[in-house]
Amino acid sequence: MFKSVLVANRGEIACRVFRTARRMGIRTIAVYSEADAKALHVREADEAVLIGPAAARESYLVADKVLAAAKATGAEAIHPGYGFLSENAEFAEAVMAAGIIWIGAPPASIRAMGLKDAAKKLMVAAGVPVTPGYMGEDQTPAHLKSEADAIGYPVLIKAVAGGGGKGMRRVETSEAFLDALASCQREAASSFGDDRVLIEKYILSPRHIEVQVFGDSHGEVVHLYERDCSLQRRHQKVIEEAPAPGMDPATRAAVTDAAVKAAKAVNYIGAGTIEFIADASEGLRADRIWFMEMNTRLQVEHPVTESITGVDLVEWQFRAAAGEPVPLKQADIPMNGWAMEARLYAEDPSNGFLPSIGKLEHFRLPDDIRIDTGVFEGGEVSQFYDPMIAKLIVHETSREAAAARLADACAEVEVWPVKTNAGFLVRCLEHPKFVAGNVDTGFIAKEEDALVQPSASTLVPAAAMAARMQRAAGVETFGVRVGTDWDSPWAPDLTASRSRADAFGFRLNAEQRADVAVYRGEHRWVGDASRAFAEPFVDPAWTIRLDGETHVFDTDASLYAGALRTAEGSLGFTLMGDEIVVFHAGDAVPFTLTRPRAGMGGAASDGSLRAPMPGKIVAVSAAVGDAVVKGQPIVVLEAMKMEHALVAPFDGTVSEIGVATGDQVTADAILAVVEAE
């Protein structure tokens, strides 16, 4: 076994590989860009090497810089993680040519499966069923459109060199094809340096089923059962689970046998995933599952497979790269219980899932489940890389128990001011259709309005009012005095065993009460607060009456833990200047003590389209004087490896275009202006 490993990646996957390496006594080496100088993977490595500027194309994607770092540190092996150079056959060859052990698939296997059109032809020859579509060399828009018309809509345009949901578009009509093709090709060229595409028939009730395979240099290939990754948004996986719900033994045998056959067809070594699409309109059936592609690397969702099998796939990768055989025979690989993984993204579901960037001033994740992350409180989410900040993984005896536990875990997430999809994940996991296992890849699109919308209960603004009363009464939160009236005779005695804020709202011969208000955007909530002993709490509690509802909050828990206990459950909160942020069911809901100014980003009420984050303009689809309708794309911004269309906020005329294709823009820059009719 080698004694040192360099991980040619960043973030949570680098930290994940380091964890296994440390357990095995292997020295760990990180590479990092200027933007990642203080990143968690740099902190956790035994040694770290700066390899370039923030942009991935100038650092993590430059093979020569990674190899130079490996040589300078004496790294005996390189693990590529996923993304970046993990499926780059030329990089794998360069690693091996330098006398360094490559912990990944053989270059020939990467090439065979790297281009989706060639891979499908290879699978047809190997007897593996594939979806109908076009995989030809003629890439002219007119020909591609004619092929799509012949296949019949809806169709899926996919980048030949794609992966991770990039360079993929669903097209519903012939009229929409050319615009979708252009967008797909731009994203493919940007992400993979290759704008070629293939076209597939879009399955109307699709399930995304994938099989974990593993091969060694002795010709052995085994599978570690299947995963279901059907819960997706814009082809990006959101929640994954293993095994797949509704998978009977006969269908499992058929799909896993096909996966092993596919891996053997390319003499596969190491960890890989064979992805299938299933027509689930009549349930999972062996004759309705087709090969889509192979990912010749470790997958983001590998922890759910590890959970049900008890296998450390990174350790297996290390052993295969060192020439050892697969540690277990097929018959000895167990499948126990049910595992689920949720991807916590830095994004704003209420604003079209736009990525969110910035400093993680408040960052709390549950501590009783497996968490794979590459960030920490005080760290930053950068504009330069993927917006996933953590993976939450649970393992239970049944699917129902796993879904409930993962929902509870996501509900405990507290992140601010970076926005996340935690509340969205909770609503996905608790949705009756998901709980019943009755979902396909279109589930989120169909249910998006309900999944994005947080609870309308008065509990959350009432909690903000209770937190404001705590602040006004001068209690100590997180060890910091936040009150202001220290000379008042009614100020609390913080030297006592409990806070004496009982005089707040004092009235002669009447119940203590005080009017209290909080704001969220333009909305103002006004309630009244009183403080007294209330069951079941042993300390005086805040009672908040708001819009005809009454909520009682225990204050003792809030003094240091940042929590408010109620009969309806616990809520977290944090106080930041004039802002009170309440955490409830995964949602982070900010309130202010005064009416805030209008927010940044997106389309303003005056018709100005502002950049929601720094990025590059990749398309301008309107000109000054053009008549546009509400929802029509005006400018397309590329940021955090994704394209974001800024659209007309209402019907009108474009009065200003402030950017051109190729421009780099800063957050809140005005990109265009639309005047209402």
Side-chain angles (χ1 to χ4, degrees):
M1 180 60 63
F2 43 84
K3 299 299 182 183
S4 59
V5 60
L6 181 148
V7 177
N9 218 295
R10 63 176 302 278
E12 61 88 12
I13 183 55
C15 295
R16 161 69 188 93
V17 175
F18 291 160
R19 188 164 65 243
T20 291
R22 283 194 302 270
R23 180 175 59 79
M24 298 177 68
I26 299 171
R27 183 168 65 95
T28 57
I29 303 160
V31 291
Y32 65 96
S33 70
E34 292 173 354
D36 275 343
K38 298 181 180 179
L40 187 61
H41 77 281
V42 175
R43 292 184 174 195
E44 292 195 348
D46 295 319
E47 190 172 355
V49 180
L50 174 66
I51 57 171
R57 63 180 175 274
E58 299 177 46
S59 52
Y60 294 108
L61 286 170
V62 183
D64 289 345
K65 291 184 177 182
V66 176
L67 285 171
K71 293 174 183 177
T73 56
E76 296 180 44
I78 289 180
H79 191 300
Y82 37 68
F84 293 145
L85 298 170
S86 63
E87 294 181 282
N88 186 306
E90 289 74 22
F91 178 62
E93 288 172 337
V95 169
M96 292 186 288
I100 300 171
I101 296 171
W102 168 248
I103 306 174
S109 300
I110 296 174
R111 287 194 175 93
M113 289 297 196
L115 298 178
K116 291 181 172 62
D117 53 350
K120 288 197 170 187
K121 294 172 183 176
L122 181 63
M123 291 300 100
V124 169
V128 178
V130 302
T131 48
Y134 173 73
M135 301 175 285
E137 296 298 323
D138 190 339
Q139 293 283 303
T140 60
H143 183 75
L144 290 171
K145 184 177 181 299
S146 69
E147 291 288 346
D149 291 343
I151 293 168
Y153 295 90
V155 298
L156 197 62
I157 306 173
K158 299 172 69 173
V160 165
K166 307 293 191 301
M168 189 181 298
R169 298 291 186 276
R170 175 179 171 176
V171 188
E172 300 289 345
T173 65
S174 179
E175 292 74 18
F177 182 84
L178 292 177
D179 285 344
L181 173 65
S183 177
C184 184
Q185 289 175 324
R186 278 196 308 270
E187 194 168 276
S190 173
S191 298
F192 315 112
D194 186 343
D195 67 355
R196 290 177 299 153
V197 301
L198 59 85
I199 302 169
E200 290 179 348
K201 175 66 179 174
Y202 188 86
I203 309 301
L204 291 176
S205 296
R207 289 263 300 274
H208 183 123
I209 307 294
E210 60 187 35
V211 177
Q212 178 72 60
V213 294
F214 202 96
D216 62 25
S217 56
H218 308 280
E220 183 72 20
V221 176
V222 298
H223 69 79
L224 292 93
Y225 308 106
E226 81 281 356
R227 299 185 287 255
D228 191 310
C229 306
S230 298
L231 222 65
Q232 303 178 6
R233 194 192 68 78
R234 289 183 62 185
H235 308 293
Q236 287 274 21
K237 298 167 187 175
V238 176
I239 294 172
E240 302 104 345
E241 59 185 301
M247 179 73 76
D248 61 67
T251 305
R252 174 172 292 119
V255 73
T256 54
D257 287 350
V260 170
K261 185 185 297 184
K264 286 184 174 180
V266 293
N267 302 311
Y268 198 75
I269 298 173
T273 299
I274 311 295
E275 300 195 349
F276 297 88
I277 188 168
D279 180 352
S281 58
E282 300 178 15
L284 293 179
R285 287 173 29 185
D287 62 344
R288 306 292 288 274
I289 300 179
W290 301 281
F291 171 88
M292 284 199 302
E293 61 183 325
M294 182 179 190
N295 287 307
T296 52
R297 53 172 168 79
L298 199 65
Q299 290 275 93
V300 176
E301 57 272 25
H302 76 273
V304 294
T305 294
E306 293 183 324
S307 296
I308 64 167
T309 60
V311 166
D312 183 332
L313 284 169
V314 174
E315 179 181 343
W316 278 30
Q317 286 186 299
F318 287 173
R319 297 194 180 283
E324 298 181 19
V326 174
L328 293 175
K329 298 296 184 183
Q330 185 67 68
D332 297 327
I333 300 174
M335 183 175 71
N336 298 316
W338 215 284
M340 285 188 184
E341 172 183 294
R343 301 191 189 192
L344 183 67
Y345 283 106
E347 63 185 11
D348 185 2
S350 66
N351 191 22
F353 292 89
L354 282 174
S356 181
I357 61 176
K359 187 175 181 180
L360 295 162
E361 296 182 13
H362 183 89
F363 186 68
R364 302 281 191 277
L365 300 180
D367 58 8
D368 60 346
I369 64 169
R370 175 175 171 177
I371 301 288
D372 285 9
T373 185
V375 298
F376 56 93
E377 187 169 83
E380 292 196 15
V381 176
S382 167
Q383 63 170 299
F384 298 103
Y385 311 116
D386 188 275
M388 189 178 73
I389 58 177
K391 301 184 306 195
L392 285 66
I393 306 108
V394 301
H395 182 219
E396 292 289 342
T397 56
S398 68
R399 185 176 187 274
E400 294 76 11
R405 189 177 181 196
L406 187 54
D408 289 344
C410 292
E412 294 179 31
V413 169
E414 298 183 10
V415 180
W416 192 258
V418 172
K419 298 175 178 63
T420 78
N421 64 332
F424 172 79
L425 293 171
V426 172
R427 289 182 283 278
C428 286
L429 290 159
E430 292 181 343
H431 195 286
K433 289 184 179 178
F434 179 81
V435 172
N438 183 26
V439 298
D440 57 32
T441 58
F443 167 75
I444 288 177
K446 295 171 188 173
E447 306 290 339
E448 186 168 315
D449 289 345
L451 296 173
V452 167
Q453 188 64 38
S455 168
S457 167
T458 58
L459 175 63
V460 174
M465 292 176 183
R468 177 172 187 173
M469 299 305 284
Q470 289 289 86
R471 173 188 176 123
V475 300
E476 193 174 7
T477 301
F478 306 126
V480 178
R481 287 188 171 189
V482 292
T484 56
D485 300 326
W486 299 112
D487 296 328
S488 166
W490 309 119
D493 178 6
L494 294 179
T495 64
S497 60
R498 69 176 62 164
S499 172
R500 294 204 308 262
D502 303 336
F504 194 90
F506 175 75
R507 301 181 184 192
L508 287 172
N509 302 316
E511 179 188 33
Q512 292 172 264
R513 293 179 56 188
D515 290 335
V516 58
V518 293
Y519 294 84
R520 182 149 194 248
E522 294 298 310
H523 191 87
R524 180 174 184 255
W525 280 273
V526 181
D528 67 72
S530 60
R531 183 174 171 80
F533 288 97
E535 294 291 341
F537 307 126
V538 298
D539 290 278
W542 289 114
T543 297
I544 307 293
R545 298 176 180 87
L546 175 63
D547 293 346
E549 297 183 7
T550 299
H551 304 281
V552 181
F553 299 90
D554 177 27
T555 57
D556 183 62
S558 70
L559 295 183
Y560 300 101
L564 291 167
R565 290 191 295 128
T566 78
E568 298 144 285
S570 294
L571 300 88
F573 75 92
T574 186
L575 306 176
M576 293 185 178
D578 190 47
E579 193 170 54
I580 298 169
V581 184
V582 176
F583 301 103
H584 176 246
D587 291 310
V589 188
F591 296 88
T592 56
L593 307 186
T594 57
R595 193 181 302 274
R597 68 183 181 87
M600 295 164 55
S605 58
D606 63 357
S608 60
L609 275 63
R610 296 174 179 268
M613 69 194 74
K616 179 182 179 181
I617 303 300
V618 295
V620 178
S621 52
V624 173
D626 285 357
V628 293
V629 296
K630 181 179 179 180
Q632 180 176 333
I634 306 296
V635 177
V636 179
L637 174 76
E638 182 184 68
M640 297 182 84
K641 300 171 67 177
M642 296 290 287
E643 287 191 359
H644 310 282
L646 281 80
V647 303
F650 37 66
D651 294 353
T653 303
V654 177
S655 61
E656 180 181 337
I657 295 288
V659 292
T661 300
D663 286 354
Q664 292 285 343
V665 298
T666 59
D668 206 37
I670 296 178
L671 310 181
V673 178
V674 176
E675 290 187 0
E677 287 185 342

